[in-house]
Amino acid sequence: MDQTHIHLLITHLPIFGSILGGLVLAYGLWSKSSDTKIAAYFLFIISSIGVGISYLTGEAAEETVENIQGVVEANIKTHEEFALFALISLIILGVASILGLFLTIRKSSLTRTTAFVILFISLISFGLVARTGYLGGQIRHTEITNGATAPAENSENESDD
């Protein structure tokens, strides 16, 4: 397994981890469960690690696909540039989650406020990382690009002359 494979596998972790962690944290806030909030913080920390790995393996993935016929360099560039925003937001989320974890374990009076701030950060992070994934998908998945479809083969209209 090379860095391109790792990039393609791990990129889904921050997307699903940030939204799943947000749902778990929202439930933890609603149920007033410290254990549930701690679980959400761990999901965010793992997602932050995943986005770091994704970002670090992105260059190798770019080198793999940039010479494939049909791959548009502009799509790679757009994905790469937007990935930086997702990286920064998820690093902030991870650091905030470490703080939230610490405050929750210490039973600080700031636990609930911090959890709401982290929930807000997670929603922003999810939006950024989901958009980054969408842009990355456009590099090789022509079915999600705007109106770009491959011509359909119609064997009935072809003659065998």
Side-chain angles (χ1 to χ4, degrees), residues 34-35 37-38 41 97-112 114:
S34 292
D35 290 340
K37 286 184 259 187
I38 289 170
Y41 296 145
S97 294
I98 292 170
L99 175 64
L101 183 63
F102 176 76
L103 292 174
T104 303
I105 291 171
R106 294 286 211 153
K107 299 184 188 319
S108 169
S109 61
L110 297 173
T111 299
R112 187 164 174 82
T114 303

Side-chain angles (χ1 to χ4, degrees), residues 69-150:
Q69 184 178 1
V71 171
V72 179
E73 182 70 28
N75 289 350
I76 296 172
K77 193 75 168 158
T78 303
H79 171 65
E80 183 178 9
E81 290 171 354
F82 207 84
L84 183 59
F85 296 112
L87 174 70
I88 292 168
S89 72
L90 274 152
I91 288 173
I92 292 169
L93 179 62
V95 170
S97 294
I98 292 170
L99 175 64
L101 183 63
F102 176 76
L103 292 174
T104 303
I105 291 171
R106 294 286 211 153
K107 299 184 188 319
S108 169
S109 61
L110 297 173
T111 299
R112 187 164 174 82
T113 303
T114 303
F116 275 109
V117 170
I118 292 170
L119 179 60
F120 180 72
I121 295 169
S122 76
L123 295 174
I124 292 170
S125 296
F126 169 71
L128 292 171
V129 76
R131 176 73 177 161
T132 301
Y134 172 76
L135 293 170
Q138 287 184 339
I139 294 169
R140 291 281 293 160
H141 293 284
T142 57
E143 69 274 13
I144 63 171
T145 57
N146 294 331
T149 58

Side-chain angles (χ1 to χ4, degrees), residues 3-63:
Q3 286 189 29
T4 301
H5 290 109
I6 293 169
H7 182 78
L8 294 172
L9 287 172
I10 203 81
T11 55
H12 297 91
L13 175 64
I15 297 169
F16 292 111
S18 61
I19 193 64
L20 180 61
L23 293 171
V24 171
L25 184 55
Y27 179 73
L29 283 163
W30 178 75
S31 66
K32 298 179 181 170
S33 168
S34 292
D35 290 340
T36 304
K37 286 184 259 187
I38 289 170
Y41 296 145
F42 277 117
L43 281 169
F44 293 144
I45 293 166
I46 292 167
S47 296
S48 297
I49 293 167
V51 82
I53 294 168
S54 293
Y55 193 81
L56 292 174
T57 57
E59 191 65 36
E62 177 183 1
E63 290 175 15

